[in-house]
Amino acid sequence: NNNQMTGTIPNNIGVLSQLVQLRASNNALRGTIPRSMGTMSRLALLDLSNNKIGGSIPDITASLYALEELLLNDNLLVGNLPPNMLMGKNFDLTKMLLHNNKLAGPIPSSVNNLFKLQILRFDNNKMTGSIPTPISTMSNLQEFRINENQFDGTLPTDLGSMSTLQILHMQENKFHGFIPTEFGDMTELTSLQMHHNHLTGTLPNEICLSHEVWNYLSTDCDIKNKAAIQPYVACSCCTRCY
């Protein structure tokens, strides 16, 4: 990683069956992710971030049983995530970064099987659908970013039971309805961004009382939105109103 390498990843890279880590980030690699990677059953870290890799993500991760970190962010990846992407035995996955691509479609419901996951990022893509439930099964999640997509639906109440969550960014989507009072139970949360959605009502007082000071708490609480009959959330403790 951190070189000026060009070209594509060899299609036969899967012959490296004993490889534990593959780090090729911050280069200028192109092409697609070879399907032969699905045979690299000992691979614990796959980092292809910050390249120019395109195409869709092949249905290989289900057979990468040892995978702990999957870093494919900041590329040109497109298409839906494979429905069986997380259906294998990769329950040791702690970090999955897919942000800053052009991915579409929903979040696979199988993501809720990743009990050890700590960081999950889908932000800045073109993804749709709702947040899969019960999402609280990812009980070790610390950072969840899905901002700048086209997600819709209501906000799941069981997000509030994720006691380890520190960063929750959901801004710039199409979520609607009220903000659940259960969000006040996320006492470790330091940054909660929900602006530029279609949320309405009043930010529950339980959220304000859960923290003496928020590092960042945002909703569509600018009084100009209310005057213009735009989506508006009354908020007495937000650090930023939009």
Side-chain angles (χ1 to χ4, degrees):
N1 52 339
N2 298 313
N3 284 291
Q4 299 178 2
M5 298 182 69
T6 58
T8 62
I9 302 172
N11 287 329
N12 63 346
I13 194 170
V15 299
L16 303 176
S17 58
Q18 303 301 308
L19 198 66
V20 175
Q21 294 188 1
L22 175 57
R23 300 175 184 263
S25 62
N26 297 303
N27 282 290
L29 298 174
R30 297 179 179 272
T32 60
I33 300 173
R35 291 187 176 275
S36 67
M37 281 188 171
T39 63
M40 303 169 75
S41 59
R42 295 195 176 188
L43 196 64
L45 186 150
L46 176 57
D47 186 1
L48 303 178
S49 60
N50 288 286
N51 279 287
K52 299 178 181 179
I53 298 172
S56 59
I57 299 176
D59 195 1
I60 60 172
T61 56
S63 57
L64 299 180
Y65 304 137
L67 196 63
E68 297 177 8
E69 297 188 20
L70 176 63
L71 315 179
L72 303 178
N73 55 286
D74 294 279
N75 277 291
L76 302 173
L77 297 169
V78 298
N80 293 12
L81 298 179
N84 297 325
M85 179 178 181
L86 304 167
M87 293 293 287
K89 300 178 180 178
N90 43 10
F91 296 134
D92 289 331
L93 198 66
T94 61
K95 183 185 295 186
M96 184 162 66
L97 307 184
L98 301 179
H99 56 283
N100 296 336
N101 281 289
K102 298 180 181 180
L103 297 170
I107 300 174
S109 59
S110 52
V111 72
N112 296 333
N113 296 325
L114 302 177
F115 310 120
K116 295 184 179 181
L117 200 63
Q118 297 176 11
I119 300 176
L120 178 59
R121 294 189 59 175
F122 293 118
D123 45 302
N124 194 21
N125 280 288
K126 299 179 180 180
M127 299 180 70
T128 57
S130 58
I131 300 175
T133 56
I135 196 167
S136 58
T137 53
M138 293 189 289
S139 56
N140 289 294
L141 200 63
Q142 300 173 14
E143 184 175 339
F144 185 35
R145 300 180 190 237
I146 56 173
N147 49 287
E148 298 174 70
N149 280 284
Q150 300 175 35
F151 293 118
D152 55 19
T154 57
L155 302 180
T157 57
D158 71 324
L159 272 170
S161 61
M162 303 180 74
S163 58
T164 59
L165 203 58
Q166 300 172 16
I167 296 174
L168 177 57
H169 290 180
M170 302 181 291
Q171 72 272 21
E172 298 188 43
N173 280 290
K174 298 179 181 180
F175 293 117
H176 62 268
F178 299 104
I179 299 171
T181 58
E182 287 84 355
F183 279 22
D185 296 332
M186 294 185 286
T187 56
E188 296 297 318
L189 205 60
T190 60
S191 181
L192 174 59
Q193 299 190 32
M194 300 177 288
H195 60 272
H196 291 168
N197 277 288
H198 301 294
L199 301 169
T200 56
T202 300
L203 187 81
N205 200 41
E206 288 84 351
I207 297 177
C208 293
L209 295 176
S210 64
H211 294 71
E212 291 186 7
V213 178
W214 281 89
N215 288 350
Y216 204 103
L217 174 59
S218 68
T219 63
D220 293 311
C221 51
D222 191 330
I223 194 64
K224 296 178 182 178
N225 289 335
K226 185 177 183 180
I229 319 180
Q230 297 293 325
Y232 177 77
V233 177
C235 183
S236 61
C237 60
C238 286
T239 62
R240 181 73 186 273
C241 285
Y242 288 83

